[in-house]
Amino acid sequence: MADPTPWIVAEDSGAVRKHAPATLRNRGAIAERLRAVLPSAGLVLEVASGSGEHCACFAETFPALDWQPSDPDETARASIAAWCAGLANVRPPMALDAAARVWPVAHADAVLCINMAHISPWPATLGLMASAGRLLPAGGPLVLYGPFLRPETETAPSNIAFDESLRARDPAWGLRDMTDVTSAALGAGLLLDQVTEMPANNLFIVCRRA
């Protein structure tokens, strides 16, 4: 089988199974960090699952956990279903808009969100925090991964350029300030637990339900 076409919206080939190249580069490092954070059993809700490649990888890596992928985009949900076909611990992908006040899920033992905050309007991050605060049990983790700005740390030139390119595409997009993110988390009853530097100037952030 030929390698799937990289999922670039402007050049989408129309194939059902999409491919986001970054997933191949970061999934191993993310999985290694998740080992120390995810519960031993229960439901992991992945918000903004995109192509579905992360979900398929993590479901195989953590077979004792049930995985609920989600995405607001119908094309993404079809890709998720294609990548996760045959995995017994992955539920059908659900339509979920992170900014919505009501989510179509009642409970999650962990919430995972990779590379969403900077390619969505700020209300999506606020909605993620608010809903994670409602869905998670005490001590349950909300895990974020991606590039963020930190006032106390010099921003890498590559991230500055990335931020500028994002805002040029959509003024509502852009790298989020960690101070704003942690403040929103606190307002939703989520306490910052850890921030780990990852390859390619990304951060692995864990907040836990108080």
Side-chain angles (χ1 to χ4, degrees):
M1 179 182 297
D3 290 338
T5 303
W7 192 11
I8 302 172
V9 175
E11 303 172 8
D12 192 341
S13 69
V16 173
R17 182 181 288 192
K18 308 301 182 184
H19 171 52
T23 60
L24 298 180
R25 298 191 294 268
N26 63 33
R27 63 188 184 184
I30 296 173
E32 193 59 34
R33 298 302 308 174
L34 288 175
R35 290 184 189 281
V37 174
L38 294 179
S40 58
L43 177 67
V44 181
L45 169 64
E46 186 185 20
V47 178
S49 299
S51 68
E53 292 166 280
H54 277 134
C55 186
C57 174
F58 300 152
E60 291 183 330
T61 305
F62 304 100
L65 289 165
D66 289 325
W67 292 81
Q68 175 61 75
S70 70
D71 204 279
D73 183 75
E74 184 177 2
T75 300
R77 294 195 300 274
S79 180
I80 296 164
W83 279 107
C84 296
L87 295 174
N89 61 329
V90 179
R91 300 181 180 184
M94 65 168 54
L96 190 155
D97 177 356
R101 296 184 63 182
V102 178
W103 285 12
V105 58
H107 168 82
D109 296 288
V111 177
L112 173 64
C113 186
I114 297 173
N115 285 331
M116 181 198 79
H118 57 285
I119 54 172
S120 61
W122 178 239
T125 296
L126 294 178
L128 172 67
M129 298 300 179
S131 289
R134 291 193 300 267
L135 298 176
L136 290 169
L142 165 64
V143 180
L144 306 176
Y145 173 89
F148 293 86
L149 302 175
R150 290 189 289 178
E152 74 283 3
T153 303
E154 183 177 358
T155 303
S158 60
N159 274 359
I160 293 176
F162 185 37
D163 180 59
E164 291 174 348
S165 70
L166 288 170
R167 295 180 188 279
R169 291 170 60 189
D170 189 327
W173 293 3
L175 273 61
R176 306 304 176 188
D177 191 306
M178 273 291 297
T179 302
D180 295 333
V181 173
T182 54
S183 177
L186 184 61
L190 300 163
L191 304 178
L192 181 65
D193 179 54
Q194 61 178 268
V195 178
T196 304
E197 293 187 2
M198 301 289 280
N201 300 311
N202 289 297
L203 297 178
F204 182 95
I205 303 166
V206 180
C207 297
R208 293 188 180 273
R209 184 72 173 89

